[in-house]
Amino acid sequence: MKTIHKVCSTILIVVLCALSFGIYKKCSWSTTEDVMFGKLSLTASYLLFAYTAVGEDADLNASLRLNHIQVVGTHNSYHREISLAERTAFEKYMPKPENYYYSHSNLANQLSYQGVRSLELDLHPDDEGGLYNPPLLWKLANLTNATTPFDGAVLDPSGLKVFHVTDLDPDSVCHTFVQCLTELKVWSDAHPSHIPIIIDLELKSDAPACSIGGICPTDGSLNWTLPRILSVEDEIQSVIPREKLLTPDDVRKGNLTLEQSVLELGWPSLFSSRGKFMFFFDNDPNPSNPSDIRSLYTSSGHESLQNRTVFTNAVEGEPDAAVLKRNEPRGAENLAEVQRLVKKGYLIRTRANVPLETVLARDGTMRENAWESGAQIVSTDYPAWGMAARWGWDYVVEVDGGRVTRCNLVARPNGCGGEIAD
């Protein structure tokens, strides 16, 4: 019936367009009202034709939900490779240093030019400010103010810092969480109908250089206490307005838990989620540890993430379970497990490569399995052509056709009915 209706409507519209155009061109209009009527008829005909031409895809896509698509995400999206002046010292103290030899473009460029729609940021606490300035690596490499890769003063204000490894791998495209968020908001404001950007936050407390003069965790300054975890929310809300956030409260319905809401009622529609950001904590859950980040964040009446801003990397069957991390899609058992979780209704993050190992082996199996798994976020270190070329192989993870998203045929077996606009 839909096809017949579309054909008939199209024939009718063509006739209307022809009549309107002929009348407009050949008739001698007696009044201004006649001229206006002719122009409106012509305009209405073309608009109706356009509506009919795209209506079928629009109808099919109207029911798309957030978990019905797949996007490319970047691993350590902020990371900048250490400078040549630091390399000798870096290779002396960092195991497998070649795994850290990659750089990402700034966050806005990843979104605009590399088709990325999910990002990962590593956060480090810094209550008083200046905790990480200067990084020990600069001293080990005998750098001066003129040769440091960035101005260390950016690390002096209090607040969350963004970098990879304390003291040894400090460079970033944005050095503070607020700086990263501000760049993302500016981009979002310029692209207000973008599909939701999902941001993976890893809360880190590493101190690998303690024994050689670096920061040590002995005073508790690196521990993720509940106030420090909540400071993540505070900084998000200081930059991103509530209407641009997709939070657990937006997903949870009635008296249901967050997990029940996702599995029984589904995720919000893709349309209603446009222009928004969604955050989740990457840290692996450890339910037996009451000081675990997820345990602290869901404690005292927040078991289903009530009044929380950030989702958790949760445990299937628990009230907060909506987002799950499954980084290994290879192997029949792993692939089937990810597909089971996707079909059930969870939002899954997986990986398309292991840093450098995948490229050196020239093996695209992990990438293909990641897409096949149906995981909504497929994370990579190589979202653009040329990034892996230094290692002798042209490896990239991208959505076909230069698009930013694709239909998830595991979560939505009947497809999406055409391309999904960003």
Side-chain angles (χ1 to χ4, degrees):
M1 289 298 293
K2 182 180 289 186
T3 301
I4 294 173
H5 179 267
K6 182 174 180 179
V7 171
C8 293
S9 298
T10 302
I11 293 172
L12 178 61
I13 291 165
V14 170
V15 173
L16 285 172
C17 288
L19 287 173
S20 297
F21 186 76
I23 293 171
Y24 179 69
K25 292 289 288 183
K26 294 182 179 180
C27 288
S28 175
W29 302 102
S30 59
T31 66
T32 302
E33 288 78 7
D34 289 335
V35 174
M36 183 177 294
F37 177 79
K39 290 181 178 179
L40 287 174
S41 297
L42 181 60
T43 302
S45 297
Y46 280 121
L47 288 174
L48 186 56
F49 179 80
Y51 172 80
T52 304
V54 301
E56 188 167 353
D57 280 351
D59 289 342
L60 288 172
N61 287 330
S63 61
L64 275 182
R65 295 177 181 266
L66 180 59
N67 62 314
H68 290 160
I69 62 173
Q70 289 180 289
V71 300
V72 173
T74 44
H75 170 236
N76 294 339
S77 310
Y78 57 86
H79 189 260
R80 281 286 166 88
E81 183 178 326
I82 53 105
S83 66
L84 290 176
E86 299 168 293
R87 181 164 291 192
T88 299
F90 183 78
E91 293 184 346
K92 180 178 180 180
Y93 294 103
M94 184 66 77
K96 297 184 177 180
E98 64 276 7
N99 285 338
Y100 302 86
Y101 292 160
Y102 63 94
S103 291
H104 285 297
S105 187
N106 68 48
L107 304 182
N109 282 342
Q110 291 181 52
L111 298 174
S112 291
Y113 304 116
Q114 296 180 349
V116 171
R117 286 299 177 269
S118 181
L119 301 163
E120 180 186 4
L121 302 175
D122 289 351
L123 304 184
H124 300 254
D126 188 5
D127 298 346
E128 303 299 326
L131 179 61
Y132 305 103
N133 185 30
L136 179 64
L137 182 64
W138 293 1
K139 179 180 179 181
L140 298 175
N142 296 314
L143 300 188
T144 66
N145 289 338
T147 58
T148 59
F150 63 91
D151 184 356
V154 72
L155 301 175
D156 286 341
S158 62
L160 300 167
K161 304 302 186 295
V162 177
F163 57 83
H164 194 207
V165 180
T166 301
D167 277 319
L168 297 178
D169 193 17
D171 205 356
S172 175
V173 301
C174 46
H175 297 277
T176 71
F177 190 34
V178 167
Q179 181 186 0
C180 298
L181 292 169
T182 301
E183 181 179 345
L184 291 171
K185 182 180 182 297
V186 169
W187 184 90
S188 178
D189 288 344
H191 305 81
S193 64
H194 64 80
I195 64 171
I197 309 300
I198 303 174
I199 301 177
D200 170 350
L201 303 174
E202 183 175 359
L203 308 187
K204 301 184 78 169
S205 55
D206 58 312
C210 175
S211 63
I212 57 172
I215 294 171
C216 294
T218 52
D219 63 353
S221 59
L222 302 181
N223 296 341
W224 282 98
T225 61
L226 182 57
R228 287 182 179 141
I229 298 171
L230 295 180
S231 75
V232 177
E233 291 192 342
D234 293 339
E235 293 201 8
I236 291 172
Q237 294 166 6
S238 74
V239 177
I240 310 295
R242 178 63 180 88
E243 64 270 16
K244 291 182 74 68
L245 290 172
L246 179 63
T247 71
D249 286 342
D250 298 323
V251 178
R252 193 182 53 258
K253 302 299 180 184
N255 294 322
L256 299 178
T257 67
L258 180 60
E259 182 186 54
Q260 289 169 338
S261 298
V262 165
L263 301 187
E264 296 176 19
L265 301 179
W267 287 87
S269 71
L270 188 61
F271 178 80
S272 68
S273 304
R274 287 184 177 275
K276 296 185 178 183
F277 294 93
M278 172 181 163
F279 296 84
F280 75 94
F281 288 133
D282 173 274
N283 301 74
D284 291 331
N286 184 5
S288 63
N289 180 6
S291 297
D292 167 64
I293 288 170
R294 172 176 166 267
S295 298
L296 290 172
Y297 194 59
T298 58
S299 64
S300 304
H302 300 279
E303 292 78 9
S304 198
L305 298 178
Q306 300 93 327
N307 299 313
R308 295 302 198 207
T309 301
V310 183
F311 290 81
T312 52
N313 172 24
V315 176
E316 183 181 9
E318 293 293 316
D320 61 321
V323 180
L324 306 176
K325 185 177 70 174
R326 295 292 185 271
N327 278 343
E328 180 54 85
R330 290 173 294 185
E333 185 175 341
N334 289 332
L335 181 60
E337 173 64 3
V338 177
Q339 290 178 334
R340 180 187 71 82
L341 294 170
V342 170
K343 290 176 182 177
K344 197 170 179 181
Y346 297 106
L347 195 150
I348 308 295
R349 184 259 199 184
T350 195
R351 291 179 68 175
N353 62 269
V354 176
L356 198 56
E357 175 185 309
T358 299
V359 173
L360 292 180
R362 300 192 178 191
D363 184 359
T365 303
M366 192 172 186
R367 173 182 57 192
E368 305 314 315
N369 287 163
W371 288 121
E372 185 183 355
S373 74
Q376 290 84 359
I377 302 169
V378 176
S379 181
T380 182
D381 299 280
Y382 310 101
W385 290 105
M387 294 182 69
R390 67 192 293 181
W391 306 110
W393 193 38
D394 284 326
Y395 176 85
V396 70
V397 178
E398 62 179 359
V399 177
D400 293 339
R403 293 174 287 130
V404 300
T405 186
R406 59 181 253 172
C407 295
N408 190 327
L409 298 183
V410 176
R412 186 180 170 91
N414 295 326
C416 302
E419 292 188 4
I420 306 167
D422 184 33

